[in-house]
Structures are given as structure tokens and as C-alpha cells.
Amino acid sequence: LSRGAKEVFFVECQLKVARVIQDNLVKLSRFRPQLLSEAQIFSEPLQKFSIRPEFQSYFDLILADPPYDHFQPEKLTVLPQLLYRGGRIVLSFPSYLNPPELPSLTLVSVRHYAAAGIAVYA
């Protein structure tokens, strides 16, 4: 949102974390009141969110940061169906692993920063 996105969707299955995101958005909205109408939080697992028909091929950029301590690349295979043609996925993953394959996408670049690997798919 701070870089010009017209809308942002947060998908967070841990209710406690979703509440922190909501609290932060409320705090930031004091400086930018329209922020709350530009952001939505879905407190549900990615697999449930990914079957919503209104979000099929919807996103031009997906930033995915799954938990490292329970990294499950098989759960990320639903991400490409959410991506609009020509979009990109930026995935954070544990650097000791290889970046996972995502169906129908090409791995464009990989970088490693300490414990984090960052993979870009198109």
C-alpha cells in the first residue's frame, strides 16, 4: 500500500497474527484514512482462500511468506491459480531448501539472505 498498490489482501490462518495485522492497519489509517478500504484480511488457510472463485486469476503480485518452522511447499501449489496472466509470485522460503516448483510458473530468480531464500516466479 505504501508503494502505490490500490488494494492488498492479507491471508493469515493464525487468528492472533491476523489481529496484529488489523491493529497495525488501524494505527496506520490515522495517517491515511482510506487505508482500511484498500486492505482486507482473510483469517483462513490459503487452501480455503484459493478456492474462492472471485480471486481466480485476480492478483498481479503475490508476496508469500509461509512459516519457516513448518514450511510445506505442497500447500503453495495453489498460488498460481490466483495469479493474473503476466503476474509474479515472490516467495520467501528457508534458505537451506531449494525453492519449490510452482505449477505452470517459471522460476525467474533466487536470492539468499541469511536464513531466508527469496524466489521470484512468473
Side-chain angles (χ1 to χ4, degrees), residues 17-122:
V17 176
R19 285 187 185 131
V20 170
I21 294 168
Q22 178 65 33
D23 291 346
N24 287 337
L25 289 170
V26 168
K27 288 175 186 173
L28 291 172
S29 71
R30 290 184 220 146
F31 306 103
R32 188 171 160 197
Q34 73 275 20
L35 186 82
L36 292 177
S37 64
E38 297 169 345
Q40 292 185 51
I41 301 169
F42 293 85
S43 187
E44 61 192 40
L46 175 62
Q47 281 59 41
K48 183 176 179 184
F49 179 84
S50 70
I51 60 173
R52 292 172 175 262
E54 66 269 30
F55 297 127
Q56 300 303 299
S57 301
Y58 184 84
F59 300 98
D60 56 359
L61 178 62
I62 296 174
L63 304 176
D65 189 16
Y68 285 10
D69 56 346
H70 294 95
F71 189 71
Q72 298 174 319
E74 66 279 0
K75 290 190 174 184
L76 303 173
T77 59
V78 299
L79 288 174
Q81 69 198 38
L82 300 170
L83 199 62
Y84 186 79
R85 179 193 273 169
R88 298 208 177 227
I89 295 175
V90 179
L91 171 67
S92 179
F93 65 96
S95 65
Y96 63 87
L97 298 174
N98 290 323
E101 290 186 29
L102 295 181
S104 73
L105 294 178
T106 302
L107 181 61
V108 175
S109 69
V110 178
R111 301 273 193 271
H112 293 275
Y113 305 93
I118 306 294
V120 178
Y121 301 85

